[in-house]
Amino acid sequence: MAWTTYKLDQYAHDLVLKYRDQKDALNQAYKMRMTVAFGLERFWGEQFRLEGAKAAYWKDTWATLVKIMQQAGVRIPNDSIQNGNSQQIKAMTDKLWNFDPQQRKVALAILTQLCENMVWWTQRYKPSGGENNG
Protein backbone atom coordinates (compact mmCIF):
# COMPACT_ATOMS: atom_id res chain seq x y z
CA MET A 1 0.00 0.00 0.00
CA ALA A 2 1.40 3.37 -1.00
CA TRP A 3 1.72 6.12 1.58
CA THR A 4 -0.17 9.31 0.79
CA THR A 5 -0.60 12.69 2.48
CA TYR A 6 -4.13 13.21 1.16
CA LYS A 7 -3.10 16.82 0.40
CA LEU A 8 -4.15 18.14 3.83
CA ASP A 9 -1.92 21.19 3.57
CA GLN A 10 -3.14 21.98 0.07
CA TYR A 11 -6.80 21.66 1.12
CA ALA A 12 -6.14 23.88 4.14
CA HIS A 13 -4.40 26.45 1.97
CA ASP A 14 -7.23 26.53 -0.52
CA LEU A 15 -9.90 26.90 2.18
CA VAL A 16 -8.06 29.78 3.86
CA LEU A 17 -7.42 31.54 0.58
CA LYS A 18 -11.09 31.14 -0.45
CA TYR A 19 -12.29 32.88 2.72
CA ARG A 20 -9.39 35.32 3.21
CA ASP A 21 -11.36 38.34 2.04
CA GLN A 22 -14.69 37.42 3.65
CA LYS A 23 -15.52 39.72 6.55
CA ASP A 24 -14.88 38.02 9.89
CA ALA A 25 -14.50 34.53 8.40
CA LEU A 26 -10.74 34.03 8.52
CA ASN A 27 -10.38 33.69 12.29
CA GLN A 28 -12.87 30.83 12.25
CA ALA A 29 -9.92 28.48 11.68
CA TYR A 30 -8.83 29.03 15.30
CA LYS A 31 -12.34 28.28 16.53
CA MET A 32 -12.51 25.21 14.31
CA ARG A 33 -9.29 23.87 15.80
CA MET A 34 -10.67 24.29 19.33
CA THR A 35 -14.03 22.71 18.43
CA VAL A 36 -12.45 19.49 17.14
CA ALA A 37 -11.88 18.45 20.76
CA PHE A 38 -15.64 18.36 21.31
CA GLY A 39 -16.28 15.87 18.53
CA LEU A 40 -17.55 15.50 15.01
CA GLU A 41 -21.15 16.31 15.95
CA ARG A 42 -20.32 19.72 17.41
CA PHE A 43 -17.93 20.56 14.60
CA TRP A 44 -20.52 19.67 11.96
CA GLY A 45 -23.28 21.57 13.79
CA GLU A 46 -21.46 24.92 13.96
CA GLN A 47 -22.48 25.70 10.38
CA PHE A 48 -26.07 26.09 11.64
CA ARG A 49 -25.21 28.43 14.50
CA LEU A 50 -23.35 30.88 12.30
CA GLU A 51 -24.39 32.96 9.31
CA GLY A 52 -22.94 34.09 6.00
CA ALA A 53 -19.28 33.47 5.21
CA LYS A 54 -18.57 32.05 8.67
CA ALA A 55 -21.20 29.33 8.22
CA ALA A 56 -20.01 28.65 4.68
CA TYR A 57 -16.40 28.30 5.89
CA TRP A 58 -17.43 25.65 8.45
CA LYS A 59 -19.59 23.84 5.91
CA ASP A 60 -16.78 23.85 3.31
CA THR A 61 -14.30 22.59 5.90
CA TRP A 62 -16.66 19.74 6.79
CA ALA A 63 -17.14 18.89 3.11
CA THR A 64 -13.35 18.88 2.71
CA LEU A 65 -12.97 16.46 5.63
CA VAL A 66 -15.61 14.18 4.09
CA LYS A 67 -13.74 14.25 0.76
CA ILE A 68 -10.38 13.50 2.38
CA MET A 69 -11.81 10.64 4.39
CA GLN A 70 -13.48 9.15 1.31
CA GLN A 71 -10.06 9.08 -0.34
CA ALA A 72 -8.88 7.09 2.69
CA GLY A 73 -11.80 4.68 2.40
CA VAL A 74 -13.82 6.07 5.33
CA ARG A 75 -17.35 7.26 4.68
CA ILE A 76 -18.40 10.01 7.10
CA PRO A 77 -22.13 10.79 7.19
CA ASN A 78 -22.84 14.03 5.35
CA ASP A 79 -26.56 14.46 4.75
CA SER A 80 -27.84 17.52 2.95
CA ILE A 81 -29.90 19.62 5.36
CA GLN A 82 -32.73 21.82 4.07
CA ASN A 83 -32.83 25.30 5.68
CA GLY A 84 -31.81 24.12 9.14
CA ASN A 85 -34.55 21.46 9.27
CA SER A 86 -34.54 20.16 12.87
CA GLN A 87 -35.57 16.60 11.96
CA GLN A 88 -32.81 16.34 9.36
CA ILE A 89 -30.27 17.80 11.81
CA LYS A 90 -31.33 15.23 14.44
CA ALA A 91 -31.00 12.39 11.93
CA MET A 92 -27.53 13.57 10.91
CA THR A 93 -26.27 13.99 14.47
CA ASP A 94 -27.61 10.52 15.30
CA LYS A 95 -25.54 9.14 12.42
CA LEU A 96 -22.46 10.96 13.71
CA TRP A 97 -23.02 9.76 17.30
CA ASN A 98 -23.32 6.21 16.00
CA PHE A 99 -20.32 6.49 13.68
CA ASP A 100 -17.81 3.66 14.10
CA PRO A 101 -15.52 4.57 17.07
CA GLN A 102 -12.30 3.57 15.30
CA GLN A 103 -13.18 5.56 12.19
CA ARG A 104 -14.22 8.48 14.44
CA LYS A 105 -10.73 8.55 15.97
CA VAL A 106 -9.13 8.64 12.55
CA ALA A 107 -11.52 11.34 11.31
CA LEU A 108 -10.87 13.49 14.38
CA ALA A 109 -7.11 13.12 13.93
CA ILE A 110 -7.37 14.16 10.28
CA LEU A 111 -9.72 17.04 11.13
CA THR A 112 -7.30 18.19 13.84
CA GLN A 113 -4.42 18.27 11.37
CA LEU A 114 -6.52 19.96 8.68
CA CYS A 115 -7.47 22.70 11.16
CA GLU A 116 -3.86 23.04 12.36
CA ASN A 117 -2.82 23.60 8.76
CA MET A 118 -5.65 26.11 8.30
CA VAL A 119 -4.45 28.04 11.36
CA TRP A 120 -0.93 28.10 9.93
CA TRP A 121 -2.14 29.44 6.56
CA THR A 122 -4.41 31.93 8.32
CA GLN A 123 -1.39 33.36 10.11
CA ARG A 124 0.40 33.71 6.78
CA TYR A 125 -2.46 35.26 4.83
CA LYS A 126 -4.18 37.36 7.46
CA PRO A 127 -4.25 40.99 6.34
CA SER A 128 -2.05 43.24 8.45
CA GLY A 129 -3.74 45.65 10.82
CA GLY A 130 -6.10 43.09 12.35
CA GLU A 131 -8.91 44.01 9.96
CA ASN A 132 -10.24 40.48 9.86
CA ASN A 133 -11.08 39.76 13.49
CA GLY A 134 -13.87 37.33 14.14
Side-chain angles (χ1 to χ4, degrees):
M1 184 166 128
W3 183 82
T4 182
T5 63
Y6 297 103
K7 302 180 184 179
L8 291 179
D9 198 45
Q10 183 177 350
Y11 284 121
H13 172 269
D14 293 349
L15 282 164
V16 170
L17 200 55
K18 179 178 179 180
Y19 288 93
R20 181 177 185 262
D21 297 323
Q22 300 293 321
K23 182 170 176 29
D24 297 332
L26 199 58
N27 282 344
Q28 291 300 304
Y30 299 98
K31 295 173 185 178
M32 288 179 198
R33 175 56 188 94
M34 292 184 331
T35 303
V36 171
F38 296 106
L40 295 175
E41 306 80 14
R42 290 192 189 185
F43 190 96
W44 173 81
E46 279 296 292
Q47 64 185 297
F48 300 106
R49 186 182 69 80
L50 301 168
E51 296 178 351
K54 289 180 183 181
Y57 197 12
W58 283 80
K59 185 175 184 177
D60 280 355
T61 301
W62 179 262
T64 299
L65 171 67
V66 169
K67 181 178 180 178
I68 291 166
M69 295 308 296
Q70 282 178 327
Q71 293 170 7
V74 175
R75 182 163 158 65
I76 296 177
N78 190 30
D79 296 351
S80 178
I81 306 299
Q82 304 289 329
N83 298 321
N85 181 299
S86 295
Q87 290 178 334
Q88 291 175 340
I89 290 171
K90 171 78 168 96
M92 177 63 182
T93 54
D94 285 347
K95 288 178 184 180
L96 290 171
W97 276 313
N98 292 310
F99 189 54
D100 178 82
Q102 291 301 92
Q103 291 183 348
R104 171 188 301 276
K105 289 177 187 177
V106 173
L108 285 169
I110 297 300
L111 183 57
T112 298
Q113 189 58 52
L114 178 64
C115 290
E116 289 285 346
N117 292 357
M118 289 168 65
V119 167
W120 192 92
W121 284 112
T122 296
Q123 292 170 343
R124 290 340 173 254
Y125 286 146
K126 189 173 185 178
S128 61
E131 302 151 0
N132 212 351
N133 294 328

